[in-house]
Amino acid sequence: HAGHVRLMEALAADSLHRHHTAALGGIRIEGDDIALNVERFVLRDSLRRELRRLDALIDSSLAQGAAAEMRALRLMPTHEDARHDLALARHLIGLRPGAGTGQDGDRDGEDQEKELGVRAMRIIQQADSLVDAYRFKEALGVLEQGLREDPTLEQRKGYMDKLDLVTKAAEAE
């Protein structure tokens, strides 16, 4: 039934999340090969976006699964599969980062959003999409303009590394 399907969806997304987290941990941006470093930046940022999407999917699927199991138990209080799936959903919800605290946990992307704010995030996302399209000079312009508009971006080492890499790539074009 629907609750069980949502729980299986959450478990599959959680498995994919662990796989992506391991892959993200293995990405090293080093050396002098500009094209390879750009590729690694793009991959790293893409994995981070995918991890945020998977987190939302897991949370949503668990909540929907638990609600569906509760509805099933209201209709048929002796349904043991629904009782088991509801207990599993509640257990998994309790294991999620930030469960019971009213906060979203210590996820890198969320910390980044709190630190930078909406405007700075938009600047970085715009530059990221230009880098994804290998439009380095335009990305450099966006990053430089962003730095002038929001000097707090300079405090972010990752942002400055990306600015440096895009600058080198733009000069190599």
Side-chain angles (χ1 to χ4, degrees):
H1 59 299
H4 185 75
V5 170
R6 289 293 184 194
L7 290 177
M8 294 301 103
E9 179 180 58
L11 290 173
D14 184 62
S15 176
L16 190 55
H17 189 283
R18 282 186 306 236
H19 179 266
H20 285 351
T21 300
L24 184 61
I27 296 175
R28 300 288 177 255
I29 301 172
E30 54 196 15
D32 295 331
D33 187 340
I34 294 171
L36 185 59
N37 284 342
V38 168
E39 183 179 317
R40 289 176 181 158
F41 266 117
V42 170
L43 177 60
R44 183 201 64 195
D45 293 348
S46 296
L47 282 172
R48 285 179 176 168
R49 281 190 298 272
E50 182 66 8
L51 287 172
R52 286 191 299 273
R53 189 192 68 77
L54 286 169
D55 275 329
L57 176 63
I58 293 166
D59 291 339
S60 172
S61 295
L62 287 174
Q64 290 175 16
E69 297 301 349
M70 288 175 63
R71 285 191 302 274
L73 284 171
R74 282 190 198 107
L75 294 173
M76 194 176 355
T78 59
H79 194 285
E80 285 304 313
D81 288 339
R83 188 174 310 286
H84 174 268
D85 285 348
L86 178 58
L88 177 62
R90 287 180 173 166
H91 173 72
L92 294 173
I93 289 169
L95 294 176
R96 296 293 297 151
T101 64
Q103 298 175 0
D104 291 330
D106 292 328
R107 294 181 219 147
D108 183 47
E110 290 167 3
D111 289 345
Q112 182 178 352
E113 288 174 20
K114 289 176 191 171
E115 178 184 330
L116 291 177
V118 175
R119 184 176 187 185
M121 284 302 295
R122 258 187 266 143
I123 292 166
I124 290 176
Q125 288 171 351
Q126 183 181 3
D128 285 345
S129 66
L130 290 168
V131 169
D132 287 346
Y134 294 94
R135 294 166 51 192
F136 302 119
K137 288 182 182 177
E138 292 174 55
L140 176 60
V142 167
L143 291 174
E144 288 174 340
Q145 180 65 32
L147 194 54
R148 283 190 294 273
E149 291 175 7
D150 191 347
T152 62
L153 289 175
E154 192 169 332
Q155 297 170 358
R156 296 218 350 106
K157 182 176 177 2
Y159 179 83
M160 294 309 294
D161 289 346
K162 188 180 292 186
L163 179 61
D164 182 53
L165 182 65
V166 171
T167 302
K168 289 177 183 174
E171 289 170 357
E173 270 189 350

